[in-house]
Amino acid sequence: MKISNSATVSAYRRICLKDGSRLNIDDNTMIQGTIVTECNEACVSIGARTFVGGSTIISANEITIGNDVLISWGCTIVDHNAHSISWSKRSNDVVDWAIGKKDWQHVAKGKIRIHNKAWIGTNVIVLKNVTIGEGAVVGAGSVVVKDVPPWTIVAGNPASIIRLIPESER
C-alpha cells in the first residue's frame, strides 16, 4: 500500500485489502469512500488531485483512476461479477464465506480505467471491462457497461452518449 503524504483518507471510511493486493493513492487526492480488494492479485491505483466521495471501489483485478477525477457519492465501481453465473459453480459461496474463503476461478473479471479529468456523478455504477475517456462526464444514476469516449456526456441505464463536450468547455 502506497498512500501519498499529501493525500487525505477519511478515517471513518474503510480500506480492506487482501494480502498481496496493491493500492496506490497519489498526491493531493481525497478519499471519503471505501476501497476493497477481493483477490490477492488485485490492484487499485488512484491518481493525483482526485476526489472519491462516499462511494465504493471493489477490485478483484485492476481499477485505475487518473488525475483530476471527480467521483461523487453513492457510486459503485466494481471490476468483477462477484459470483459465477452458473448455479453449480456458485452454490457453495455462502458456506465458503463463513469459513473465510472464496473460489474466484469461475467469476468473470475485467479491468476498469477512468482517465484524467473525468467526472462520475452521484449513484453511478461502473462495471468490469469499461474505460471512461479523458474529460468524460457520467450523469447521476447511470450504469456504465461499455466504454465512454473522451469529452462526452453519457447518462442512463445503460449509459449512452447524450452529447459531446465542445472544445470551448474543456
Side-chain angles (χ1 to χ4, degrees), residues 2-59:
K2 180 184 163 216
I3 299 176
S4 168
N5 288 334
S6 64
T8 304
V9 178
S10 295
Y12 66 93
R13 293 296 176 177
R14 298 182 323 147
I15 295 179
C16 302
L17 306 177
K18 290 282 187 185
D19 290 341
S21 63
R22 298 180 316 274
L23 171 64
N24 296 303
I25 300 174
D26 214 341
D27 297 333
N28 299 303
T29 287
M30 296 176 62
I31 305 295
Q32 297 178 351
T34 299
I35 300 171
V36 176
T37 58
E38 302 263 48
C39 295
N40 295 345
E41 65 275 6
C43 177
V44 176
S45 179
I46 302 173
R49 300 170 308 280
T50 290
F51 173 79
V52 178
S55 293
T56 304
I57 298 169
I58 308 167
S59 179

Side-chain angles (χ1 to χ4, degrees), residues 15 18 22 36 51 55 68 71 75 82 96 100 148-149 165 170:
I15 295 179
K18 290 282 187 185
R22 298 180 316 274
V36 176
F51 173 79
S55 293
D68 304 301
I71 299 174
C75 298
D96 287 347
V148 176
I165 298 172
R170 296 182 188 175

Side-chain angles (χ1 to χ4, degrees), residues 84-97:
S84 172
I85 60 168
S86 167
W87 162 246
S88 63
K89 293 176 182 160
R90 70 174 186 268
S91 62
N92 288 323
D93 280 1
V94 174
V95 173
D96 287 347
W97 290 341

